[in-house]
Structure formats: C-alpha cells, structure tokens
Amino acid sequence: MTRANFVSGVRGTNTPFFVARKSGDQTGISDQTETKITGWSEITDPQSTFDTSNARFTPAVAGNYRIGLTAWIATESNTRQALRIKKNGSTVEQIQVSTGGDVNIPVHISAIITCDTDDYIEPYVYLDGSQTRTVYSSGVEMQFSGFKIIE
C-alpha cells in the first residue's frame, strides 16, 4: 500500500482545539462542594475558543469533541473525590477516587462530547470530607484540552 492510498479519503481538520495548563494552586476549596477549576493559561488556542477568564471552552463549530482533564488534587482519608467535565452546566463525565490516606494524587478523565456551536465545556472538582483542600498547579501535569474529531 502506498502512502497516497493510506491517507485517501481523509477530510477535515481537528479544529477548533485548545490546550491549557493550570497557572497556580487553587486553595481553600470547601469540603462537599462542587467547584469549577479556574486559573488556566493557554498553551495553544488558535481559534480563540477557550476563555481563561471563566475556564470555559465554547467550540463555535458543531461536532464531536474529545475533551481531557488532568488534575492533581488533595484527598482526605476514606472520602471520595470526583473530577467532572460539564457541558452547559450539567455533568457529562465523572471519575471518582477514594484513598486510604491523606495524599495528593493525579486524576485524569476524558470524554467524547457532541457539541453545538454555542455549547460550553467546563472543568470541575468535588472534594468530599471535612477539610478545605487544594487543586495543585503542577506544571505540565495539570491540563485541560479539547479538539474536534474529524468525522
């Protein structure tokens, strides 16, 4: 098979897309409270679809999107912590973790989400327990990203 045959039939591009990284620790997150993860800096956003002021991705192009979120969170012994991806204010994907001790752990979640032009996607965390906690800024490990899937 030649390379020309291998790529025949490919159409479209994976745009819009964005990649953002956490630009500082988010401290004082109350226990048993769902909190939007804010404080992102854009790494790339050629179509200007991610707004750092409100941590919101609005694709502007209808289609299916792969959204990923990785966060370092402070956990509390024998409680549950959840990382959530929300579309238009409603949870569309969630991962929960529970630990046997007080530790800081990385958590990753990804989803394929169908979006209209005016939908918006946001990152959230829910930290259960009795203490205030932190979502940490850990350089390249704290990332929120998305791109349109070629259909």
Side-chain angles (χ1 to χ4, degrees):
M1 176 180 282
T2 67
R3 182 164 172 78
N5 288 340
F6 181 72
V7 296
S8 66
V10 173
R11 60 187 165 100
T13 60
N14 291 104
T15 58
F17 68 91
F18 77 98
V19 177
R21 290 200 178 121
K22 196 87 171 66
S23 58
D25 291 351
Q26 188 169 339
T27 60
I29 297 173
S30 298
D31 64 300
Q32 301 180 7
T33 302
E34 184 176 68
T35 304
K36 185 191 287 192
I37 302 172
T38 59
W40 300 94
S41 295
E42 291 177 328
I43 302 305
T44 187
D45 183 14
Q47 296 79 30
S48 299
T49 52
F50 183 69
D51 186 342
T52 58
S53 71
N54 62 11
R56 184 178 282 184
F57 170 62
T58 306
V61 176
N64 292 312
Y65 287 79
R66 192 266 186 201
I67 304 295
L69 173 61
T70 302
W72 275 86
I73 57 176
T75 67
E76 185 178 332
S77 168
N78 301 314
T79 62
R80 68 183 173 96
Q81 287 67 228
L83 205 54
R84 297 176 177 159
I85 297 173
K86 291 189 164 212
K87 174 184 168 185
N88 301 331
S90 297
T91 300
V92 293
E93 195 66 48
Q94 169 178 285
I95 187 168
Q96 291 188 120
V97 295
S98 182
T99 63
D102 295 351
V103 295
N104 301 330
I105 59 170
V107 181
H108 177 77
I109 186 172
S110 64
I112 305 296
I113 303 172
T114 301
C115 293
D116 289 330
T117 59
D118 59 349
D119 289 333
Y120 59 92
I121 307 296
E122 300 169 303
Y124 276 81
V125 66
Y126 176 87
L127 303 174
D128 199 3
S130 61
Q131 306 168 15
T132 58
R133 291 306 158 46
T134 300
V135 172
Y136 293 99
S137 173
S138 245
V140 298
E141 291 128 350
M142 284 289 303
Q143 185 169 289
F144 185 38
S145 62
F147 62 88
K148 185 176 185 296
I149 298 170
I150 297 173
E151 299 177 41

